[in-house]
Amino acid sequence: MGTLLRTLAASKPAGRFLELGTGTGIATAWLLAGMDAASTLVSVDTDATVQAVAQAVLGNDPRLKLLLSDGFDYLGAQAPGSFDLVFADAMPGKYDGLEAALAVVRIGGFYVIDDMSPQPNWPEGHAAKVPALMEQLAQHQDFVLLPLVWSSGVAVAVRRS
């Protein structure tokens, strides 16, 4: 997944990137590795403890802004079409607030999600959400979807209008 994020980030010079779900910063580091010096990354998480790991390791990178916030609240405050790539690695922006996450993707920009294949840590009832989400993305008129049976199960959507 990291190499995919790095590659997609490299395709958007002077890009503006959003990660929903910083965690400890693994995907954050991959995104930063693909970004050029003129790009910026906003990474949002609600868990201060895990985000502190990302802050300790990556916090000195001037291209990175780490925010302790609810992803759904953050999305609601963003202008439409304001990001070149959104990596939704948390419930907000993936299963909750999908339309808000898609709205902030620029034309030609990417919406990326992972963990679409069964995971041992999924909570009860979660497996039923995946096909519904994939169907919703496949039917979305403004996006072209590429589902990948690769890694943990990945979907990349590109905004076309």
Side-chain angles (χ1 to χ4, degrees):
M1 189 65 206
T3 57
L4 175 63
L5 291 172
R6 181 182 65 198
T7 302
L8 294 175
S11 77
K12 301 293 184 184
R16 188 158 186 248
F17 304 97
L18 173 62
E19 177 185 29
L20 298 168
T22 311
T24 58
I26 295 170
T28 313
W30 281 102
L31 286 163
L32 289 167
M35 292 166 42
D36 67 11
S39 294
T40 59
L41 170 60
V42 176
S43 187
V44 180
D45 206 301
T46 58
D47 188 332
T49 303
V50 295
Q51 197 180 58
V53 175
Q55 177 63 43
V57 176
L58 304 169
N60 289 332
D61 192 318
R63 302 171 299 164
L64 175 63
K65 181 176 184 178
L66 294 169
L67 294 177
L68 190 60
S69 175
D70 179 78
F72 191 70
D73 291 342
Y74 181 80
L75 286 169
Q78 303 311 302
S82 54
F83 290 95
D84 293 294
L85 181 148
V86 173
F87 176 47
D89 197 23
M91 296 303 250
K94 189 186 287 188
Y95 297 102
D96 302 323
L98 174 64
E99 287 300 322
L102 295 176
V104 301
V105 178
R106 289 186 177 134
I107 292 175
F110 301 106
Y111 172 80
V112 183
I113 53 177
D114 65 352
D115 300 331
M116 296 292 99
S117 296
Q119 305 293 310
N121 62 341
W122 278 359
E124 182 73 28
H126 184 79
K129 293 180 179 183
V130 174
L133 172 61
M134 294 302 290
E135 181 63 24
Q136 189 175 0
L137 286 169
Q139 298 300 318
H140 204 291
Q141 297 298 309
D142 295 333
F143 285 82
V144 175
L145 178 66
L146 172 64
L148 298 167
V149 182
W150 174 75
S151 184
S152 64
V154 177
V156 177
V158 178
R159 178 179 280 283
R160 63 175 162 195
S161 61

